[in-house]
């Protein structure tokens, strides 16, 4: 079975965490599609949110991960694209609930706020939890 591709991108503040999460994705059996940034030099987070949204729209991946300093700016930028449901998450319960209830397709993490172990746990739960559907279907449909 081919490995599922997971798109991943960050700004400079999220560059180190992105590198760690890429390794984690490989360890979990996924294929990371790294859309930058490529170094810790200062960049603008909307550009990388846009890249990831484009990759999802083009069918290069169904799900993605975005990292900036707080996770907030990059999630705001990502959610300007109607096919993106990006959730900023700081804990495993939020990671689970945003899959179960919101069918989030992009996980956003804040490298300056969330420790490495928690971030990795959030990633695992996000990627292994299915949308609950049912009463949430109609609500999620209204987002798009
Ligand atoms: C960059 O300094 C920082 O503003 C950015 O990574 C992010 O936290 C914005 O929301």
């Amino acid at each position: 079975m081919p490995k599922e591709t997971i798109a991943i991108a960050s700004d400079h503040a999220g560059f180190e965490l992105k590198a760690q999460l890429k390794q984690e994705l490989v360890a979990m059996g996924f294929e990371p599609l790294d859309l930058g940034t490529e170094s810790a030099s200062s960049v603008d987070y909307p550009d990388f949110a846009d890249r990831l949204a484009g990759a999802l729209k083009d069918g290069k991946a169904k799900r993605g991960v975005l990292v900036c300093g707080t996770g907030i700016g990059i999630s705001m930028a990502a959610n300007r694209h109607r096919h993106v449901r990006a959730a900023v998450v700081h804990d495993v319960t939020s990671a689970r609930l945003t899959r179960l209830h919101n069918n989030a397709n992009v996980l956003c993490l804040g490298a300056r706020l969330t420790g490495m172990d928690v971030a990795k746990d959030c990633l695992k739960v996000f990627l292994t939890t299915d949308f609950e559907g049912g009463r949430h279907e109609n609500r999620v449909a209204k987002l798009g």
Side-chain angles (χ1 to χ4, degrees), residues 89-100 118 121-122 125:
V89 156
H90 303 100
D91 59 87
V92 170
T93 305
S94 305
R96 180 179 302 108
L97 286 171
T98 199
R99 287 291 310 127
L100 287 171
V118 174
D121 286 347
C122 288
V125 166

Side-chain angles (χ1 to χ4, degrees), residues 14-65:
F15 176 68
E16 289 296 336
L17 181 55
K18 172 167 68 70
Q20 296 289 324
L21 295 178
K22 271 171 65 182
Q23 289 182 17
E24 202 63 22
L25 286 170
V26 172
M28 290 176 72
F30 293 103
E31 182 79 43
L33 172 63
D34 189 346
L35 300 168
T37 186
E38 289 81 26
S39 76
S41 300
S42 185
V43 291
D44 298 331
Y45 54 81
D47 297 335
F48 295 89
D50 289 349
R51 276 193 200 178
L52 189 133
L56 264 51
K57 187 143 210 167
D58 293 346
K60 292 182 180 144
K62 289 197 168 65
R63 304 189 281 177
V65 180

